[in-house]
């Protein structure tokens, strides 16, 4: 098969688009693990919940309120869905997950796995289509395509890439270069010392979980116009996202960002060279990284 420059560049852009979702989801997972040492297996379900809030607001809000004109626009969904899902995460963390901080991390993983199954089951029981429903409220301003010279690239996909990069860079800057980020990092390593300075550590921990969960919901809203919205959409993606986090280094913010985009690009380019390998190339890389650098590419060796 002849490999053309146009085919390579086209798959590069599509891989970058997939990498945008990998990076955004991995970022929330890395924030929660890095700050709280919790392996949040419900992250995929919370990503699904963000997409569901957007879908319900766009297609069902008018029916449920009796007002046919009631609708949650895409732009409002970008704000409302992360806030709603983040508040749910806040309740889960404060009243349930916080009881597991002093026990084996395996309990936290099992608990969040149970939360994921419960959330998926609720939406299946409510009658949402497991095979997926389309989200039809994509803004007109993001319709059509942008001429990149070598291909016509959908404007919405380009928007999702730019938004993901902006959120990832902003999150990295907040955690690594601001005072609140310094407090968050200090609270996870020396909570007793941070308390001595009058900082409310439980509030910081709750804020961290809220923020990580909100990132997952934001990724769900951005994904809704591209992929079908279904109760199982998070389960299909979370395994890949965990692989991304493991390769980048558990808890590494920069690792999650760089590895997410990088693996998306590698996956896209693999479709050009040898398409059957594209679904497994990420897991092959993960196996090699675990063999030769168990802490991950950006993780710190113990």
């Amino acid at each position: 098969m002849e490999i053309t420059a146009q085919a390579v560049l086209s798959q590069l852009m599509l891989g970058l688009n997939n990498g945008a979702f990998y990076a955004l989801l991995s970022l929330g997972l890395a924030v929660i693990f890095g700050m709280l040492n919790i392996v949040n297996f419900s992250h995929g379900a919370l990503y699904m919940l963000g997409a569901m809030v957007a879908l319900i607001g766009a297609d069902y809000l008018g029916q449920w309120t009796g007002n046919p004109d009631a609708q949650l626009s895409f732009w409002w969904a970008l704000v409302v869905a992360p806030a709603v899902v983040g508040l749910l995460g806040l309740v889960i963390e404060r009243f349930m997950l916080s009881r597991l901080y002093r026990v084996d991390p395996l309990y936290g993983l099992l608990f969040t796995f149970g939360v994921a199954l419960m959330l998926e089951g609720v939406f299946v029981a409510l009658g949402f289509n497991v095979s997926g429903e389309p989200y039809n409220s994509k803004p007109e301003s993001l319709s059509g395509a942008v001429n990149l010279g070598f291909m016509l690239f959908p404007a919405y996909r380009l928007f999702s890439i730019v938004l993901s990069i902006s959120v990832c860079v902003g999150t990295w800057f907040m955690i690594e270069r601001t005072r609140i980020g310094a407090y968050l990092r200090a609270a996870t390593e020396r909570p007793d010392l941070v308390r001595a300075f009058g900082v409310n550590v439980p509030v910081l921990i709750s804020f961290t979980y809220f923020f990580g969960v909100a990132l997952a919901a934001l990724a769900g809203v951005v994904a809704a116009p591209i992929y079908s919205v279904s109760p199982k959409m998070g389960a299909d993606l979370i395994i890949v996202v965990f692989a991304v986090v493991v390769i980048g280094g558990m808890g590494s913010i920069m690792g999650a960002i760089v590895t997410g985009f990088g693996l998306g690009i590698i996956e896209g380019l693999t479709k050009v060279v040898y398409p059957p390998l594209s679904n497994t190339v990420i897991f092959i890389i993960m196996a090699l990284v675990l063999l030769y650098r168990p802490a991950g590419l950006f993780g710190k060796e113990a």
Side-chain angles (χ1 to χ4, degrees):
M1 182 183 68
E2 184 182 355
I3 299 175
T4 64
Q6 184 175 5
V8 171
L9 291 172
S10 298
Q11 286 299 331
L12 180 69
M13 289 302 299
L14 292 173
L16 190 61
N17 187 221
N18 288 336
F21 292 107
Y22 296 161
L24 204 53
L25 268 172
S26 301
L27 182 62
L29 203 59
V31 166
I32 292 172
F33 182 83
M35 302 291 116
L36 308 182
N37 201 31
I38 291 289
V39 180
N40 185 24
F41 212 89
S42 63
H43 211 66
L46 295 167
Y47 156 82
M48 174 273 294
L49 190 56
M52 279 293 181
V53 170
L55 179 71
I56 290 169
D59 294 351
Y60 295 93
L61 190 61
Q63 300 176 23
W64 293 356
T65 60
N67 180 7
D69 297 325
Q71 186 184 49
L72 187 68
S73 71
F74 172 79
W75 300 114
W76 274 109
L78 287 175
V79 177
V80 172
V84 169
V85 178
L87 287 173
L88 174 63
L90 203 60
V91 171
I92 292 172
E93 189 279 330
R94 247 337 47 220
F95 296 102
M96 290 171 271
L97 199 55
S98 60
R99 300 172 181 270
L100 305 176
Y101 290 152
R102 293 182 177 85
V103 299
D104 192 303
L106 180 62
Y107 289 98
L109 188 150
L110 292 173
F111 171 77
T112 55
F113 180 66
V115 170
L117 294 178
M118 182 185 71
L119 289 174
E120 289 176 10
V122 165
F123 283 98
V124 170
L126 287 173
F128 285 91
N129 195 337
V130 177
S131 59
E133 297 182 35
Y135 176 80
N136 299 315
S137 295
K138 182 174 69 176
E140 288 293 327
S141 58
L142 296 177
S143 299
V146 177
N147 190 347
L148 299 179
F150 55 89
M151 70 176 296
L152 290 174
F153 195 70
Y156 183 81
R157 286 182 179 265
L158 190 61
F159 162 78
S160 67
I161 293 171
V162 173
L163 178 65
S164 177
I165 292 173
S166 302
V167 172
C168 288
V169 171
T171 301
W172 174 85
F173 184 83
M174 182 194 74
I175 292 176
E176 299 292 339
R177 293 290 185 268
T178 65
R179 178 172 293 185
I180 188 171
Y183 282 150
L184 286 172
R185 285 180 280 116
T188 58
E189 295 176 10
R190 291 293 303 276
D192 51 340
L193 188 61
V194 175
R195 283 194 194 94
F197 284 95
V199 177
N200 192 324
V201 173
V203 169
L204 275 181
I205 291 173
S206 296
F207 169 77
T208 301
Y209 196 79
F210 171 89
F211 185 68
V213 164
L215 286 175
L218 178 64
V221 177
V222 177
I226 300 177
Y227 308 107
S228 294
V229 180
S230 78
K232 300 290 185 181
M233 65 185 291
D236 298 337
L237 192 58
I238 191 63
I239 302 301
V240 176
V241 172
F242 266 106
V244 171
V245 173
V246 168
I247 294 168
M250 293 293 288
S252 171
I253 305 301
M254 182 57 70
I257 297 170
V258 174
T259 307
F261 281 104
L263 290 177
I265 291 171
I266 290 172
E267 186 182 55
L269 295 178
T270 305
K271 291 179 181 179
V272 180
V273 180
Y274 187 62
L277 190 62
S278 61
N279 292 328
T280 56
V281 64
I282 290 177
F283 302 104
I284 293 172
I285 294 172
M286 182 183 73
L288 293 172
V289 169
L290 288 174
L291 282 173
Y292 295 103
R293 189 174 171 80
L297 298 178
F298 292 81
K300 296 178 182 179
E301 298 286 350

